[in-house]
Amino acid sequence: MNDFHAPLIDWAAVSPVLIVLGAGVVGVLVEAFVPARLRRTVQVALALVALAGAVVAVGLLWSSVHQSARLSVGDSFDLTPFGLAIQGIVAALAFLSVLVMADRSGGQDAFAPTAAAVPGSRYEEEARRAGLEQTEVFPLMLFSTGGMLLFTATDDLIVLFIALEVLSLPLYVLCATARRRRLLSQEAAFKYFLLGAFASALTIFGIALLYGFAGSVHLPVITDALAGRGSTPLQGLHVLAITGIVLVSAGLLFKVGAAPFHTWTPDVYTGAPTPITGFMAVCTKAAAVGALVRVLFYLGQGFDAPTRHEVQVLLWAVAIATMAIGTIVGAVQTDIKRLLAYSSIAHAGFIIVALVGFSEAGAKAVLFYLAAYGLATLGAFAVVSLVRERLTTGEGGEKDSVILGEATHLAQWAGIGRKAPWLTAAFALFMLSMAGIPLTAGFLAKFGAFSAAVDAGAWPLALLGVVASAISVFFYVRLIVLMVLTPAPDAGVEGAAAAEHAAADVAPGGVATATQQVTRAVVTVMTGWSPATVVVTVCAIGVVLLGVVPASVLDLAAGAAKFVP
């Protein structure tokens, strides 16, 4: 009879994950027991406190993890400095994402009152009139964040797959909760679910092949088998191992949004609620990149020269295709969220460029890139959430006003620099950072990624990255020119409408007539302090500081990049 030996658990090492997942469970109980009038306030406060606690826990763990190089819990949880840094980035960006989710500029949040209702149905209209609120989005977001924190802190492929599903399943639901464009939102969620399930199947099949090759799902054991140390069930069948690595990498690249696994990104980014889009764009990408680095760097220790070459060729092909698709297709987009989606794809290619050498310099570049990209992208989506369509009705169309959803067509962004100068300046800063203009965080991030590739001997790939980055400047600067130098389309409409109504109000004999009621949509910017504007301010300050005085963050990234496989 076998005796059960309880595993020794370092509770401090798993504290960031436990805090977030525990708060998610409490959030479910809040939905069941807290009165409806207090539920939203409690959920927002709970999510913010939990994510702030996770950031604090990461800070408290930093010295111990950095000194010992890892904190392990059996074979399932292995926290390294690199994994801890990714956890800190994810938790901090998730905290800011909650603020965008909590924003109610215009009197409404971005989420449908009843996400399960048939769009346009009587039930949905009654729920809207009753003022129902979808507060379940906050515990769902916490569960997804908890999966992301676990995703980068395990060297067991089964636990990695479980973390992948924990972070993905809530996102499938959250993508379908948009208040406006309900059919588009549900279509985006359905596409994400189907393609995500396919990617998960590839991942688990790759894990099965690696298990068949090495007799274990533990990354160090698989690494030893690749290096020829010890006996394996299928010794010498490196084709099986390479196929498994490719399939697992494909599942992770799907979450990164890299080509050819990028096809879900534009549709899902467009259809999902804008706060959820921003959350996915920064937090999911950071967690997926962290997991990809962990898997490739671990297994890379066991690669022989031919195997390393084959994996590097794969990364080269993915990086080139991703940069090309993101920049070329992004240049012809007419929707701001789709444009940012292709920008996200291009940045995924730039990140992969840094990984081709499997080097410490590449890991350092990735950490700084994720921080710089996360601040600029989350700030950009926060600005998008504040640019709205306003439906006006009355004399001259100015008596009554109803705030609708986001104005996402690029033509609607013309002239908003005159409506909200400081918000436009912040958005321009985010665009310049994504373009890699000097004195912004994006410049140093791209410089670090391309330098790591050059140090690894992949200078042609770095050169292609520079060319793709130069092409991407076109659509970033085009948007800035549109906002600042192009007159707003509704300005001419308002002037023409005023003249028309002035003529209609006075009859040929000089007698006033009844004013005609006119309904039209114009673009408005939600100014004034709100949670979303706080996020825009914080992200703008972060982009400037990382671009001007990056030394402290670069030192932290250098310390965290001491990845110990």
Side-chain angles (χ1 to χ4, degrees):
M1 181 176 180
N2 295 327
D3 295 330
F4 173 75
H5 299 283
L8 297 177
I9 300 177
D10 187 344
W11 295 105
V14 296
S15 59
V17 181
L18 291 181
I19 290 172
V20 174
L21 291 180
V25 174
V26 174
V28 174
L29 298 177
V30 167
E31 289 296 318
F33 297 107
V34 174
R37 67 180 185 279
L38 301 175
R39 200 172 293 158
R40 184 177 186 277
T41 302
V42 174
Q43 291 284 25
V44 172
L46 177 64
L48 292 175
V49 170
L51 293 169
V55 174
V56 172
V58 168
L60 295 176
L61 284 170
W62 175 255
S63 59
S64 57
V65 174
H66 192 263
Q67 291 173 2
S68 62
R70 64 184 349 111
L71 291 177
S72 301
V73 177
D75 293 334
S76 300
F77 191 89
D78 186 26
L79 190 61
T80 63
F82 183 87
L84 186 64
I86 294 290
Q87 286 187 342
I89 292 172
V90 169
L93 294 175
F95 180 90
L96 296 176
S97 298
V98 170
L99 293 177
V100 182
M101 293 169 61
D103 186 83
R104 300 196 67 183
S105 299
Q108 295 177 338
D109 59 21
F111 305 100
T114 53
V118 176
S121 64
R122 179 180 176 183
Y123 176 69
E124 184 181 53
E125 183 61 26
E126 291 177 351
R128 183 180 291 110
R129 290 178 179 176
L132 298 183
E133 294 180 326
Q134 198 79 45
T135 53
E136 294 91 340
V137 296
F138 295 100
L140 286 174
M141 182 263 189
L142 289 174
F143 284 127
S144 181
T145 305
M148 295 175 191
L149 298 181
L150 179 60
F151 202 36
T152 61
T154 180
D155 53 14
D156 186 288
L157 292 179
I158 296 299
V159 177
L160 183 140
F161 178 75
I162 293 172
L164 174 64
E165 296 305 299
V166 171
L167 78 89
S168 299
L169 292 176
L171 289 177
Y172 300 149
V173 178
L174 290 172
C175 287
T177 59
R179 177 177 290 272
R180 306 290 176 183
R181 302 177 182 177
R182 298 282 294 118
L183 286 174
L184 185 63
S185 177
Q186 293 184 353
E187 178 186 351
F190 187 63
K191 288 180 179 179
Y192 193 24
F193 171 72
L194 286 181
L195 294 176
F198 181 71
S200 296
L202 292 179
T203 303
I204 198 67
F205 188 44
I207 292 173
L209 293 180
L210 289 174
Y211 177 76
F213 171 75
S216 174
V217 293
H218 197 46
L219 286 176
V221 177
I222 299 174
T223 302
D224 290 339
L226 286 170
R229 296 186 291 267
S231 59
T232 64
L234 299 174
Q235 183 76 35
L237 283 181
H238 275 60
V239 174
L240 190 67
I242 293 298
T243 305
I245 293 171
V246 169
L247 292 176
V248 172
S249 300
L252 299 178
L253 290 170
F254 174 86
K255 288 300 179 185
V256 173
F261 315 103
H262 69 286
T263 53
W264 63 274
T265 308
D267 293 335
V268 175
Y269 278 31
T270 303
T274 300
I276 301 303
T277 303
F279 172 65
M280 288 193 301
V282 296
C283 294
T284 304
K285 189 178 294 292
V289 169
L292 181 66
V293 170
R294 188 178 190 91
V295 170
L296 291 180
F297 276 46
Y298 253 119
L299 300 182
Q301 302 300 311
F303 291 162
D304 55 16
T307 303
R308 177 180 289 268
H309 176 71
E310 291 171 356
V311 174
Q312 286 180 330
V313 168
L314 171 67
L315 292 178
W316 274 59
V318 170
I320 293 172
T322 304
M323 291 187 295
I325 292 173
T327 54
I328 296 173
V329 182
V332 298
Q333 297 304 308
T334 58
D335 184 274
I336 185 65
K337 292 176 73 173
R338 290 186 74 87
L339 186 149
L340 292 175
Y342 281 102
S343 170
S344 173
I345 294 170
H347 285 286
F350 299 143
I351 292 173
I352 296 173
V353 168
L355 300 179
V356 295
F358 300 96
S359 63
E360 184 176 312
K364 173 185 173 182
V366 164
L367 288 175
F368 188 86
Y369 203 114
L370 290 174
Y373 162 82
L375 289 173
T377 301
L378 186 59
F381 278 110
V383 174
V384 172
S385 71
L386 295 173
V387 180
R388 307 282 185 86
E389 290 180 324
R390 186 176 81 248
L391 190 66
T392 59
T393 306
E395 296 180 1
E398 300 297 338
K399 182 174 292 186
D400 300 317
S401 179
V402 178
I403 302 297
L404 302 178
E406 293 93 351
T408 60
H409 197 281
L410 289 186
Q412 296 176 299
W413 282 62
I416 68 169
R418 300 179 183 179
K419 300 178 181 179
W422 78 268
L423 202 64
T424 302
F427 192 79
L429 176 63
F430 299 143
M431 295 296 101
L432 293 175
S433 179
M434 292 183 194
I437 302 302
L439 298 182
T440 63
F443 172 76
L444 292 177
K446 290 185 178 180
F447 181 81
F450 299 153
S451 297
V454 172
D455 293 341
W459 65 264
L461 187 60
L463 180 61
L464 291 175
V466 173
V467 173
S469 184
I471 295 173
S472 69
V473 172
F474 164 75
F475 56 82
Y476 294 130
V477 174
R478 180 188 64 168
L479 188 54
I480 297 174
V481 171
L482 184 69
M483 294 188 298
V484 177
L485 301 179
T486 307
D490 56 318
V493 173
E494 290 176 359
E500 179 183 350
H501 287 292
D505 289 345
V506 180
V511 180
T513 61
T515 303
Q516 184 180 4
Q517 297 292 318
V518 176
T519 300
R520 57 193 173 84
V522 297
V523 177
T524 186
V525 182
M526 301 289 102
T527 55
W529 288 104
S530 65
T533 56
V534 171
V535 172
V536 173
T537 304
V538 171
C539 290
I541 294 173
V543 167
V544 172
L545 291 179
L546 287 181
V548 178
V549 285
S552 58
V553 178
L554 287 173
D555 290 341
L556 289 174
K562 295 179 180 178
F563 186 83
V564 182

